[in-house]
Amino acid sequence: MGRFDNMKKDWDKPASQPEKASSRTEFELMPDGIYTCDVFNIEERQPKNGGEAFSVTLVVTMGEHCKRRVWDWINFHLPHSSKATEIGRESFRDLCAAAGFADTPPNELSDLIGCELQVRLGTRAANGGYPAKNCVKAYIAHQPAGATADDTDDLF
């Protein structure tokens, strides 16, 4: 009896239900600190309450956590919060400067993809049923080999 014959024989039997996999994979948090990353992706997004934002995906390129991804959300314009808009625009300028666009902004968002920079990661506490997660605290221009941590002390 072939495979098709076996399938026909079991036609009326209910399909077995696979165990439900967790919809969320838990990752161990990376320690707070400075990581060298590449900008993997950046997209324009619209916040739920309206406005404009950027979703940024970074990939750690060195060290123990190499290839881990980190996500950031930059609110570029929120009509209901001028303070959040100001913070978001400053974060975007810092991202651009860290990626080598200190004097003029990139022509396209895609110009940021592949740029190497450093980020200072922190940890956002668990909140509202969501687990704790890593978050970008600051974008820092990539330090060349041989630069010391003292060179970035004024950033904090």
Side-chain angles (χ1 to χ4, degrees), residues 6-156:
N6 285 334
M7 189 181 88
K8 287 193 301 185
K9 181 180 86 171
D10 295 337
W11 187 260
D12 291 332
K13 290 184 182 177
S16 62
Q17 297 296 321
E19 288 185 36
K20 285 191 173 183
S22 171
S23 63
R24 183 179 175 100
T25 303
E26 298 295 329
F27 288 105
E28 186 177 312
L29 293 173
M30 293 184 282
D32 293 0
I34 297 176
Y35 293 84
T36 301
C37 298
D38 281 348
V39 177
F40 181 77
N41 195 23
I42 184 166
E43 298 177 336
E44 290 185 52
R45 302 297 286 267
Q46 184 172 16
K48 291 178 184 176
N49 295 333
E52 299 172 57
F54 300 117
S55 171
V56 183
T57 305
L58 306 161
V59 177
V60 177
T61 59
M62 295 180 178
E64 176 184 349
H65 300 286
C66 188
K67 297 186 182 178
R68 288 279 305 270
R69 291 188 183 191
V70 178
W71 293 269
D72 194 16
W73 181 270
I74 299 174
N75 290 310
F76 192 75
H77 173 70
L78 293 178
H80 56 279
S81 176
S82 61
K83 183 66 175 172
T85 297
E86 180 183 325
I87 291 168
R89 289 184 179 197
E90 184 177 328
S91 292
F92 185 68
R93 281 191 297 271
D94 291 346
L95 166 64
C96 290
F101 295 93
D103 297 327
T104 59
N107 291 324
E108 302 287 331
L109 281 179
S110 61
D111 292 344
L112 294 169
I113 296 174
C115 290
E116 185 175 70
L117 46 82
Q118 291 182 313
V119 296
R120 183 168 56 97
L121 290 185
T123 302
R124 182 171 296 143
N127 184 11
Y130 292 100
K133 68 177 192 172
N134 288 118
C135 59
V136 175
K137 295 288 188 180
Y139 290 98
I140 306 162
H142 179 65
Q143 298 296 315
T148 65
D150 294 339
D151 295 338
T152 58
D153 283 347
D154 62 320
L155 296 173
F156 305 104

